[in-house]
Amino acid sequence: MPDNNYSSLPLNTWYVAANVEEFEVHNVIGRRIAGRPIVLWRSAEGNVHAFEDSCPHRKAPLSMGEVIADKGLRCPYHGFTFAGDGRCNGVPGQEKVPTQWRTNPYPVIERYNCIWIWLGDPSRARDESSIPAFMEFGIEPYNVRSGLIPVDADYRLLVDNLLDPTHAEFVHRTSFGSSDLSAAQGPARSESRPQEEFESTIEEDKISFVYRLINSRGGPCFRKAYSMREGELSDKDNIDYIMHVEWQPPGLFSYCIDLNSADSTDGNHLRLVNLHILTPETEQKTHYFYRCSVLNDGGQDSILDYWHEIDRMAFNEDKAIAEGQQRNIGDQDLFADRSLWARGSDQMNLGGRRILQRMS
Ligand code: FES
Ligand SMILES: [Fe+2]
């Protein structure tokens, strides 16, 4: 395996290398992950394998090759073929296949419609049960919109972002429409003002938080999504907005937003769901996979398309900020200067950075 020095990137973890749907278009995918050039390929039998993207003969990128039935992955240069275990099983023009022409496969798992790869010490590859069973992974594919956004920024800047709800008011004005806090300050029933609560739990190896905005306008996009299920809302109709967020480091985030009529106890909430999956490409680039879903939509399928559109806008707003930060940061270690983390509400970001530092 290559010995590039990407010292800050955790390796002993399962990373999402690809969405399974990507193999419907190509059965060979070249992708750099945590600094390593990787080729992912699906065999004629349907199994996904991962190798270093470099032929052991003369270093041609195997991702430019193709899959051959009964053989495996064929190098684009001289046509050597490689089985899923990395063994060379064919050299055009000669019968003997020297054993040195082999490549080491990386452990891969196909689970939850994702291809997961383990780049670290294979003997430490943890059982697939270490992949968190987020509720979102169980949603039927027809109810999921997924995608991959390339971001020219350190994945840790996106972790900071997703652990920092205070940015929404400023970054997401054109997508989510206004901050939840601003929404809380908007017109509401005079007899009861909106009630806002925030709780975070910073543990040794993960962080979660809950944000509740009870009896509020709810922010324009959330209000619109809710009205798509309920019909037009009047000025007097307020909603309860409850957001649960879980982060499983290094890069898995579950965001779950429940919307319901203010003070309702019927449990009939509209649930807007996002899964953010950050896979470092290098120390300064990230593969930002996402999935969004809408549950309990009352048969209004169009809410999912609306939510997907809003999400795409919001994720690209975050991308623009992170890439701008990265241009200013360059090779500096942002976490080395603790004065940059001194805001009162930077606690979750500090907790997150400490967890990532322990993992790297
Ligand atoms: S470089 Fe791959 S077969 Fe020669
Ligand atoms: Fe954001």
Side-chain angles (χ1 to χ4, degrees):
M1 292 181 195
D3 190 30
N4 298 335
N5 181 19
Y6 289 96
S7 56
S8 72
L9 299 175
L11 293 181
N12 289 311
T13 187
W14 288 107
Y15 282 120
V16 169
N19 276 319
V20 164
E21 303 90 80
E22 294 180 78
F23 285 97
E24 291 167 9
V25 184
H26 300 289
N27 55 8
V28 182
I29 296 172
R31 184 157 289 162
R32 188 172 285 271
I33 301 173
R36 276 76 176 154
I38 303 293
V39 55
L40 302 155
W41 59 282
R42 190 186 279 289
S43 70
E45 295 75 38
N47 301 314
V48 175
H49 306 281
F51 300 157
E52 180 188 347
D53 190 10
S54 177
C55 178
H57 176 226
R58 214 78 68 70
K59 307 298 178 194
L62 291 170
S63 57
M64 294 170 67
E66 59 188 313
V67 174
I68 305 296
D70 300 327
K71 280 294 193 180
L73 182 60
R74 185 169 71 187
C75 177
Y77 196 3
H78 307 105
F80 290 21
T81 49
F82 299 90
D85 62 4
R87 199 171 30 89
C88 180
N89 60 8
V91 176
Q94 69 181 56
E95 280 196 11
K96 190 163 165 33
V97 178
T99 53
Q100 81 265 21
W101 286 329
R102 64 166 295 129
T103 183
N104 291 319
Y106 290 95
V108 286
I109 294 173
E110 182 170 343
R111 191 170 201 195
Y112 302 136
N113 268 334
C114 297
I115 305 299
W116 304 77
I117 188 168
W118 184 278
L119 296 172
D121 179 352
S123 68
R124 291 181 59 193
R126 293 171 66 198
D127 184 77
E128 60 187 85
S129 64
S130 65
I131 296 170
F134 283 149
M135 168 276 288
E136 291 87 340
F137 284 134
I139 298 173
E140 292 294 333
Y142 72 85
N143 200 15
V144 175
R145 299 282 184 276
S146 60
L148 170 56
I149 300 174
V151 180
D152 286 344
D154 184 339
Y155 83 102
R156 290 170 299 184
L157 295 173
L158 294 165
V159 170
D160 296 340
N161 178 305
L162 289 161
L163 284 176
D164 176 12
T166 66
H167 75 272
E169 178 173 1
F170 308 100
V171 177
H172 297 311
R173 275 177 293 186
T174 60
S175 53
F176 296 139
S178 72
S179 75
D180 302 324
L181 183 59
S182 300
Q185 292 163 345
R189 285 198 296 241
S190 56
E191 63 270 25
S192 57
R193 298 296 303 168
Q195 175 196 343
E196 190 182 25
E197 294 169 1
F198 183 81
E199 286 164 37
S200 63
T201 308
I202 302 176
E203 298 179 57
E204 192 63 13
D205 58 354
K206 61 184 175 186
I207 292 178
S208 59
F209 59 93
V210 184
Y211 178 75
R212 293 187 187 84
L213 189 57
I214 304 300
N215 192 22
S216 75
R217 300 291 294 169
C221 89
F222 302 109
R223 198 169 172 79
K224 176 168 178 188
Y226 191 65
S227 71
M228 287 171 79
R229 187 185 78 169
E230 295 293 315
E232 188 124 1
L233 301 178
S234 80
D235 260 4
K236 289 188 173 168
D237 292 325
N238 284 348
I239 58 178
D240 293 344
Y241 168 109
I242 302 176
M243 178 171 74
H244 290 262
V245 177
E246 286 180 60
W247 173 50
Q248 168 93 20
L252 293 179
F253 280 88
S254 155
Y255 265 65
C256 181
I257 296 168
D258 286 341
L259 304 173
N260 208 344
S261 298
D263 306 324
S264 169
T265 54
D266 63 8
N268 186 28
H269 41 251
L270 175 67
R271 177 165 282 185
L272 308 177
V273 176
N274 285 334
L275 200 58
H276 308 258
I277 302 172
L278 309 174
T279 298
E281 177 178 351
T282 65
E283 286 190 317
Q284 298 185 8
K285 290 186 178 197
T286 302
H287 304 293
Y288 187 166
F289 297 92
Y290 72 85
R291 290 168 179 227
C292 46
S293 304
V294 175
L295 301 180
N296 203 14
D297 63 8
Q300 301 298 318
D301 298 346
S302 57
I303 303 176
L304 177 55
D305 291 325
Y306 175 66
W307 180 233
H308 185 207
E309 180 191 323
I310 293 291
D311 273 345
R312 291 272 319 173
M313 286 170 66
F315 302 160
N316 279 295
E317 288 163 350
D318 289 323
K319 167 183 160 89
I321 292 289
E323 290 180 342
Q325 288 176 284
Q326 187 66 63
R327 285 193 293 276
N328 287 333
I329 293 166
D331 294 332
Q332 291 171 49
D333 177 3
L334 203 61
F335 195 46
D337 182 352
R338 296 301 161 92
S339 71
L340 306 180
W341 307 81
R343 185 181 57 152
S345 49
D346 282 337
Q347 287 310 308
M348 279 203 299
N349 280 172
L350 270 171
R353 286 288 186 144
R354 287 190 182 114
I355 289 172
L356 292 179
Q357 199 169 48
R358 284 196 291 275
M359 290 184 81
S360 61

